[in-house]
Amino acid sequence: MRRPQEIVQHVGRVIDVVERGLPLGRDSSFERLARSWRRSLSTHQIDPALATTPRVVTAQELREHRDRIDAFMRIAREGMDRLHAQLRPVNYCVLLTDADGVTVDFRTVPELDREFKAEGFRVGTCWSEAAEGTCGVGTALIDGQPMLVHRDEHFRSHNIAFSCSSVPIFGPDDHPIAVLDASALNAPAQRESQLLVYRLVLDRAQQIENAFAWYTLRPYWVLQLGRLAEYLSVQTDYLVAFDDSGRIVGGNRRARLELLDGDAAPPPAFIHDLFECTTNEILAAAHGQPGQAFPLRLTTNGERLFAILRAPAPRSRSGLVLPSAIDDAATEEGARAKIPGFSHLALDDARLRGNVERALKVANRDIPVMLLGETGTGKEAFARAIHDYSERRDKPFVALNCAAIPETLIESELFGYRDGAFTGARSKGVRGKILQSDGGTLFLDEIGDMPLQLQSRLLRVLAEGEVLPLGAETPIPVRLHVVCATHQDLPDLVQQGRFREDLYYRLNGAVFLLPPLREREDIRGVIDKVMREEATAMDRPTLHLAPATLDALVRHDWPGNIRQLRHAMRYACAIADGDAVELEHLPPDLFRARVCAHAAASRGDAFDDVPPLRLPSHSDAPRRPLSNADAELRAQMLAALRRHQWQVSVTARELGMSRATFYRKMTRLQIVSPNRREFDA
């Protein structure tokens, strides 16, 4: 609440600036603020003394505002999360508004959530200039320019303690589609204190704008352009899109303003009008240097830019963008198309692509989904991909593993309970997984392990659309989409009386069989993809699989499928010393488990040519003499490991190393923990 004296002083300052023409500040940016103050008083007729909180739209109105920019919001979400992670420690909230100034997405500071909401920072609040007068969001939308409005530069007295850095984000029609804003409730008095926050918001808004440009231009060839080849992988200056005939169809905002508007001359219509080369020459250059930058010169001034070419996303006969292998010339990754929700999956296997095509057709239909496949084949990842692609993507995705929770707890986990429902229940009760997933997706993994009595209750929920928590008397309406998964033979369980037949047919709407890793056509690509992901996560981007290692992994049975593969690659990345993962760097029991399984099945072992894996023991003599420094380091590491009972994480932290570095040094210095000596040859 603003003090009366603050309000009187602020109103007097408004009158001085608007009616007496006194300057608001020292530089040209303050003239924009002064013009906004004049609009606020004369055009919008807002009372600067008004101290009430901003208007909040109704729930129905909010849904309508969100629906208009639904695709954009999905793309902006990642950028908002990253900006919030940067600013949360200094107590800034992050909000996204649409072109009307209505907040459609919001990130708060949990410790200050009540304070932010009390001041009007929440989803649904309208920050338009017509409603609030001069403010970051509203004035940025009117001017079409980034805006820093600090404390008493706001028009309404209610807002004079806030500091708001707001940046408009433009769509392909060059009109603002949204505003990204970071706001603090109480900022330091000096305006200069906000310049770093303002810069962070500006950079993040530019990234979101470029990401949305990528999304809108995905059906076309796209040139990613910059002045420095080394920066192209992390920073985009220009995006220019063209069709198969070479006709320019659009670009990001900076490209439209600086390259495509034509100034006094007619704007370039074709690629050869913009650059000193033809479309075919660009395609040839990209083909000759897959995934690498190549130079182009502008026809207007001869300036040299560097470019990477991205291929258009292929389309199925239904018009849906589908993943497929595209000309390797386009990018280092084969320029594979991205389907929202499914883009993180490796999809070069024909059966998996067929599953995706069918999943896209049922994702927004009221059809339950059943995923079948061996353990570790990625059933939860596929379920989440369906959710992320569907219209329910903004609602919760809630997962419950029916095999991982004791039978006595599944009921309360799934259905929830009221306070006092049983001894030990929480005082305020618990909302079960079903209520948590209301409006979204409920993923029931290992559904075959659900107890029979709970199957009856779940069937009632699905049939009647309502749930009755434990201890409650009145059922609660619920709307959810169920995706279940199992590695078991449900019809066989039905025959045994362990699974209800009516529930089976209720869940058996659209069935997807996920192939095991050993049967996938793209197994080599999957292994390589997982390897790169794990190497990147450990900050070892140059690490790669040696050819013999990759061949052995491709021929492996992988009984644990992708989950087992990921664990093996994570281990290898930690152990490998150098840039190549050799067979000796893989988990010692990886192939041994396979040999045992094959022996039990009386089948020949395809890995007879794989050398046995051997880890050195403490009694081993060093294979090569250690330098004095290495010997001293080995003794230091051994002493620390014994002191901490061979806890690697604790020991590495004490010695100032990362776990990955510590493991590599253990391998190089032939240090083996006692519980690993059983694997010695």
Side-chain angles (χ1 to χ4, degrees), residues 1-2 52-56 84 87-95 103 105-127 132 154 158-159 161-165 181-187 194 197:
M1 191 70 179
R2 310 295 173 252
T52 57
T53 56
R55 179 178 70 91
V56 178
H84 180 242
L87 298 180
R88 175 179 168 178
V90 286
N91 295 333
Y92 281 76
C93 71
V94 174
L95 57 93
T103 305
D105 204 356
F106 180 68
R107 304 288 185 275
T108 188
V109 180
E111 301 80 11
L112 300 175
D113 183 53
R114 182 175 299 177
E115 290 86 343
F116 273 111
K117 286 183 177 178
E119 297 290 3
F121 289 92
R122 55 185 299 175
V123 172
T125 299
C126 181
W127 294 101
E132 288 298 299
H154 287 85
H158 173 269
N159 303 329
F162 309 151
S163 186
C164 304
S165 296
D181 173 273
S183 293
L185 293 178
N186 296 286
Q194 302 304 299
V197 173

Side-chain angles (χ1 to χ4, degrees), residues 14-196:
V14 170
I15 293 173
D16 286 342
V17 171
V18 175
E19 296 187 355
R20 298 176 185 170
L22 296 182
L24 183 59
R26 299 178 301 277
D27 55 46
S28 58
S29 64
F30 287 99
E31 180 53 34
R32 289 176 57 201
L33 289 166
R35 287 198 302 269
S36 177
W37 276 23
R38 289 192 285 271
R39 287 194 303 267
S40 301
L41 189 64
S42 303
T43 305
H44 307 314
Q45 298 183 341
I46 296 173
D47 181 359
L50 197 61
T52 57
T53 56
R55 179 178 70 91
V56 178
V57 301
T58 66
Q60 177 60 36
E61 290 173 328
L62 177 60
R63 280 194 293 270
E64 293 171 357
H65 282 274
R66 283 176 158 173
D67 287 346
R68 293 177 198 139
I69 58 170
D70 178 65
F72 173 82
M73 286 180 61
R74 295 200 310 272
I75 291 168
R77 191 176 298 129
E78 176 70 16
M80 287 190 67
D81 289 341
R82 295 192 178 194
L83 180 62
H84 180 242
Q86 289 177 300
L87 298 180
R88 175 179 168 178
V90 286
N91 295 333
Y92 281 76
C93 71
V94 174
L95 57 93
L96 184 77
T97 78
D98 65 2
D100 295 322
V102 174
T103 305
V104 293
D105 204 356
F106 180 68
R107 304 288 185 275
T108 188
V109 180
E111 301 80 11
L112 300 175
D113 183 53
R114 182 175 299 177
E115 290 86 343
F116 273 111
K117 286 183 177 178
E119 297 290 3
F121 289 92
R122 55 185 299 175
V123 172
T125 299
C126 181
W127 294 101
S128 68
E129 192 180 84
E132 288 298 299
T134 304
C135 61
V137 169
T139 305
L141 284 169
I142 293 290
D143 288 355
Q145 297 181 46
M147 198 75 192
L148 169 59
V149 183
H150 185 58
R151 295 177 65 91
D152 60 1
E153 295 166 8
H154 287 85
F155 186 78
R156 281 219 299 128
S157 60
H158 173 269
N159 303 329
I160 60 176
F162 309 151
S163 186
C164 304
S165 296
S166 306
V167 180
I169 300 174
F170 291 85
D173 58 357
D174 282 327
H175 289 96
I177 191 173
V179 173
L180 183 66
D181 173 273
S183 293
L185 293 178
N186 296 286
Q190 297 79 14
R191 194 175 201 267
E192 290 74 16
S193 67
Q194 302 304 299
L195 295 182
L196 178 58

Side-chain angles (χ1 to χ4, degrees), residues 396 398 432-442 478-481:
V398 179
K433 300 294 187 184
I434 291 176
L435 282 178
Q436 292 175 31
S437 62
D438 186 20
T441 299
L442 175 64
V478 65
R479 183 172 60 88
L480 71 159
H481 184 254

Side-chain angles (χ1 to χ4, degrees), residues 309-530:
L309 182 64
R310 309 290 182 182
R315 294 179 174 272
S316 69
R317 285 172 293 182
S318 63
L320 293 169
V321 178
L322 295 176
S324 64
I326 307 173
D327 185 359
D328 288 342
T331 66
E332 189 174 1
E333 297 296 327
R336 196 156 288 112
K338 302 294 184 183
I339 305 177
F342 290 88
S343 59
H344 65 289
L345 302 179
L347 299 173
D348 283 343
D349 179 80
R351 282 184 294 175
L352 202 55
R353 282 203 306 273
N355 281 336
V356 172
E357 288 194 63
R358 289 193 298 123
L360 298 180
K361 295 176 181 178
V362 304
N364 292 315
R365 301 289 187 265
D366 188 19
I367 302 174
V369 172
M370 181 176 291
L371 304 178
L372 306 177
E374 297 178 5
T375 182
T377 49
K379 294 187 286 293
E380 182 169 352
F382 197 87
R384 186 175 289 276
I386 294 174
H387 173 81
D388 290 343
Y389 177 83
S390 74
E391 297 169 353
R392 301 177 299 278
R393 67 186 69 88
D394 294 326
K395 299 296 183 180
F397 176 90
V398 179
L400 176 68
N401 189 321
C402 301
I405 299 177
E407 184 173 330
T408 54
L409 298 180
I410 291 181
E411 185 172 20
S412 59
E413 282 285 326
L414 190 59
F415 299 96
Y417 56 83
R418 287 191 56 186
D419 55 307
F422 52 85
T423 302
R426 295 183 185 177
S427 59
K428 296 183 180 180
V430 165
R431 295 174 74 244
K433 300 294 187 184
I434 291 176
L435 282 178
Q436 292 175 31
S437 62
D438 186 20
T441 299
L442 175 64
F443 175 62
L444 297 175
D445 199 6
E446 301 301 348
I447 186 70
D449 291 298
M450 178 176 284
L452 271 172
Q453 69 271 19
L454 296 191
Q455 294 177 26
S456 301
R457 293 197 61 188
L458 176 61
L459 181 64
R460 179 170 297 178
V461 171
L462 298 177
E464 300 178 4
E466 56 186 27
V467 60
L468 184 68
L470 294 175
E473 298 177 355
T474 305
I476 303 172
V478 65
R479 183 172 60 88
L480 71 159
H481 184 254
V482 175
V483 178
C484 62
T486 183
H487 70 281
Q488 301 187 65
D489 185 344
L490 287 185
D492 185 53
L493 295 183
V494 170
Q495 290 294 324
Q496 298 176 31
R498 294 167 52 196
F499 200 86
R500 289 183 63 104
E501 185 175 17
D502 46 5
L503 178 60
Y504 170 71
Y505 288 116
R506 172 73 68 169
L507 297 173
N508 197 34
V511 180
F512 298 87
L513 177 60
L514 303 187
L517 180 59
R518 62 182 172 275
E519 295 179 6
R520 288 181 57 158
E521 299 171 356
D522 60 347
I523 182 172
R524 188 175 292 268
V526 174
I527 292 172
D528 186 62
K529 181 177 187 292
V530 172

Side-chain angles (χ1 to χ4, degrees), residues 61 89 103 114 204 208 214 263 275 307 431 439 458 486 615 617:
E61 290 173 328
T103 305
R114 182 175 299 177
R204 195 63 69 185
I208 294 173
W214 274 115
D263 294 326
F275 299 109
R431 295 174 74 244
L458 176 61
T486 183
L615 291 176
S617 68

